[in-house]
Amino acid sequence: MTTPGTELTVTLSGGSADDAQKVVRALEPAFGAPDELPTDTNATVHTATFAAGGAGPSQGSAGHLSAPVTVTVQGTPEAVEKASDTLARAFSAQDQGVSSGDQERERQLLLTP
């Protein structure tokens, strides 16, 4: 469950902090800036939260990943669809499944280099 006022929470595992930053930056055109960029090079899981609002549609590629990254996006159904579509345009993405609650949705994607 996301915190009140939060539109999208992104959890990333696999890859490096640099890979996590590329994924988060790919979402910025659609959602605006996150609370903070993943920077801990020792972390095995990175998280970013995007508040309601944001800019227009995503443009172009965010760069190549060094390793596969598992991404879980959680938020409103509209935000999760928007994030999934944005990531699928920016990276090679494989849908790993979706679960829905009353007002939130969660989708897992595998992004590959």
Side-chain angles (χ1 to χ4, degrees), residues 66-85:
S66 67
V69 176
T70 300
V71 179
T72 303
V73 291
Q74 182 181 25
T76 65
E78 297 81 12
V80 169
E81 282 304 312
K82 186 176 184 180
S84 299
D85 291 345

Side-chain angles (χ1 to χ4, degrees), residues 1-28:
M1 184 171 163
T2 57
T3 57
T6 299
E7 185 173 313
L8 186 74
T9 300
V10 181
T11 306
L12 308 104
S13 61
S16 64
D18 185 52
D19 289 329
Q21 289 177 13
K22 288 176 185 175
V23 173
V24 170
R25 288 195 189 282
L27 292 169
E28 285 180 343

